[in-house]
Amino acid sequence: MKKIILFLLLLTAVVSNAQIKQVQEEESSLTEIGTISPLGQPMHMVCYKDEETNVYIFKYLDTEYKTLKQYEHFMFKDTGNDFETLYTTIIDGLKEKEKKSIKLELESNFVWINFVKSFGMTLVSFSSIEGKNESLHKGTSNMFTKKQIEKLFGKK
């Protein structure tokens, strides 16, 4: 009788302490708006929208490190028409003759939109910092063309 009780006790302990268990996957509320990944390379920048909270998330490959693939992001809640305003600001900046940086203040960080003219084309890049402390640089994206920005914002 002792052996049976000991066996049942050990069996219960082994079954109840399983190290691997299956987790039910929840439906993601993120929708991909657009992505930039030239010529089959890893993703350089992607835009998601969280349908539940109406938050846009821009995730980009940080070009500060050449051997390390580190991704950074910035996000904002779309109140009013902020997503379209950001798109219009970038497209207008690509058309302007004078190239300058635009600094945007978001809820939790700052984002700079940098415009550069190279080989007769105007390019745009993004850089951001975490929090409101400008000394905490977070990363800089690659340079993108107008066509790539349109693809990122889901316009083409």
Side-chain angles (χ1 to χ4, degrees):
M1 186 69 178
K2 287 182 184 179
K3 289 182 183 179
I4 294 174
I5 292 174
L6 182 63
F7 175 73
L8 290 174
L9 186 64
L10 286 175
L11 183 64
T12 305
V14 170
V15 171
S16 65
N17 290 330
Q19 293 184 8
I20 298 175
K21 68 177 185 177
Q22 187 174 3
V23 178
Q24 295 298 324
E25 196 170 314
E26 295 180 14
E27 283 285 323
S28 174
S29 63
L30 288 180
T31 304
E32 185 176 304
I33 304 296
T35 185
I36 302 172
S37 52
L39 301 173
Q41 295 178 7
M43 179 272 300
H44 284 207
M45 191 160 188
V46 65
C47 174
Y48 297 107
K49 180 181 181 185
D50 187 340
E51 299 292 342
E52 291 177 4
T53 60
N54 207 25
V55 171
Y56 286 92
I57 304 164
F58 290 86
K59 183 178 171 185
Y60 60 90
L61 178 65
D62 187 358
T63 59
E64 187 174 335
Y65 306 104
K66 299 294 179 202
T67 58
L68 179 66
K69 299 272 188 232
Q70 181 171 337
Y71 291 92
E72 299 295 346
H73 72 280
F74 61 91
M75 64 178 101
F76 62 90
K77 186 169 185 145
D78 191 14
T79 55
N81 207 9
D82 296 335
F83 183 74
E84 290 300 322
T85 303
L86 177 62
Y87 173 73
T88 305
T89 302
I90 295 169
I91 295 301
D92 290 346
L94 288 168
K95 292 176 184 174
E96 288 183 15
K97 295 222 185 270
E98 183 182 331
K99 303 304 166 205
K100 60 181 180 177
S101 293
I102 299 172
K103 181 179 176 182
L104 303 174
E105 182 178 0
L106 304 177
E107 293 174 13
S108 61
N109 53 4
F110 288 109
V111 174
W112 283 266
I113 305 172
N114 309 304
F115 299 97
V116 187
K117 191 151 188 138
S118 178
F119 297 108
M121 291 176 55
T122 305
L123 304 170
V124 63
S125 69
F126 301 90
S127 46
S128 64
I129 59 168
E130 186 65 46
K132 301 293 182 177
N133 186 354
E134 293 191 30
S135 64
L136 299 175
H137 183 262
K138 215 172 142 181
T140 304
S141 73
N142 285 325
M143 298 292 218
F144 302 116
T145 63
K146 180 182 176 186
K147 187 176 181 180
Q148 289 173 318
I149 292 298
E150 289 172 345
K151 186 176 177 187
L152 178 68
F153 281 81
K155 303 297 181 184
K156 291 224 173 181

